[in-house]
Amino acid sequence: MEREIAIEVKNLYISYRNLQKFSIKQSLLHFKKVQADVFQAVKDVSFEVEKGEILGIIGKNGSGKSTMLKALAGIFSPDTGSIDLKNHSVSLLSIGVGFEKEMSGRENIILSGMLLGFSEEFIRSKMDEIIEFAGLGKFIDMPVRTYSSGMYSKLAFSITAVLETDIMLIDEVLSVGDEKFKKKSYEKMKSLISNRERTVVIVSHSLDTIADLCDKVMWMHEGKLIEIGTPDEVLPRYLEFMK
Ligand SMILES: Nc1ncnc2c1ncn2[C@@H]1O[C@H](COP(=O)(O)OP(=O)(O)OP(=O)(O)O)[C@@H](O)[C@H]1O
């Protein structure tokens, strides 16, 4: 069978710009221009993910994993280089991305679904399934600002798990929530992955999760891609490096 590429990243560079804090007076006195501190978080990264493949991204804190995922989701645009998702729909599951705090869980389901590109009618047809999976009881009609972080991620996971996109990007969320929900979402994740229709990129510090779920592992360090290969190839070298 011919390989079908779902994600193609070429020579990607992404930087953060933080404006240096000079007062206007200081700037005028010292003739300083307001300068931006530029921090290069992703440096010359290239890789491909095939349709149906599950890629795990590993690396120590600050190595650029979340930045990479947000770039794939279209939240950050490249300084240079390119990301081609070959017209696939994409969703990012990440803590702290996306809900309107004053709106209820139910209203946020509609909003998030529409942001993912689904019609309101379709989202409403999936509403009961999402609410049942999230298991938030009466909280589903309360403003999201009243949710605990575990409840927040239950809702986020349930929306993305039920409203299926071609590419799912998952940032560390499998490790939150109570044990029961963690197990349920892990199983749901596995079944979503198993049909091989969906392409998945997972960022995780849990090497057990990565070894269990992923076909391929990408190891990042200080914004650079160190190695990409099967878990058997990459994980032992990464563990040795982290010693
Ligand atoms: N908004 C920002 N402004 C400036 N620098 C940032 C910003 N967000 C992240 N960075 C920096 O970019 C680098 C990569 O961050 P990123 O969050 O992608 O790393 P990560 O590998 O996901 O880390 P972790 O495992 O801790 O979640 C870090 O050095 C971080 O300090």
Side-chain angles (χ1 to χ4, degrees), residues 157-173:
F157 183 85
S158 310
I159 295 171
T160 326
V162 176
L163 300 176
E164 304 176 10
T165 52
D166 303 328
I167 301 174
M168 273 179 90
L169 309 171
I170 303 169
D171 196 353
E172 207 59 85
V173 284

Side-chain angles (χ1 to χ4, degrees), residues 16 18 39 41 60-67 205:
Y16 291 104
N18 295 319
F39 181 82
K60 64 177 193 159
N61 292 122
S63 53
K65 306 181 295 294
S66 301
T67 308
H205 286 284

Side-chain angles (χ1 to χ4, degrees), residues 81-141:
S82 63
I83 297 173
D84 187 353
L85 302 183
K86 315 279 180 192
N87 285 327
H88 292 99
S89 60
V90 62
S91 60
L92 170 68
L93 187 54
S94 168
I95 302 153
V97 174
F99 290 144
E100 283 295 324
K101 300 273 188 300
E102 292 303 324
M103 285 164 68
S104 70
R106 196 184 291 272
E107 288 164 332
N108 269 293
I109 293 174
I110 302 278
L111 186 70
S112 305
M114 290 178 82
L115 286 173
L116 289 175
F118 296 99
S119 71
E120 187 172 342
E121 193 189 357
F122 179 76
I123 303 161
R124 287 195 189 280
S125 73
K126 295 282 185 179
M127 186 65 100
D128 289 348
E129 201 183 329
I130 296 172
I131 291 175
E132 202 205 317
F133 195 88
L136 296 173
K138 64 179 176 15
F139 273 95
I140 199 70
D141 291 306

Side-chain angles (χ1 to χ4, degrees), residues 222-237:
E222 294 177 354
K224 294 198 181 121
L225 193 162
I226 302 291
E227 198 180 346
I228 186 162
T230 63
D232 285 350
E233 289 162 356
V234 180
L235 292 180
R237 283 196 277 268

Side-chain angles (χ1 to χ4, degrees), residues 52-56 157 170 174 185-194 196 200-204 206-217 231 235:
E53 207 166 41
I54 301 140
L55 173 74
F157 183 85
I170 303 169
L174 293 173
S185 47
Y186 198 80
E187 292 308 319
K188 177 78 179 176
M189 191 67 243
K190 277 190 125 170
S191 78
L192 281 174
I193 287 171
S194 66
R196 294 278 148 185
V200 182
V201 183
I202 303 175
V203 166
S204 182
S206 162
L207 299 186
D208 288 341
T209 301
I210 297 280
D212 186 29
L213 296 180
C214 301
D215 307 307
K216 251 204 286 196
V217 183
L235 292 180

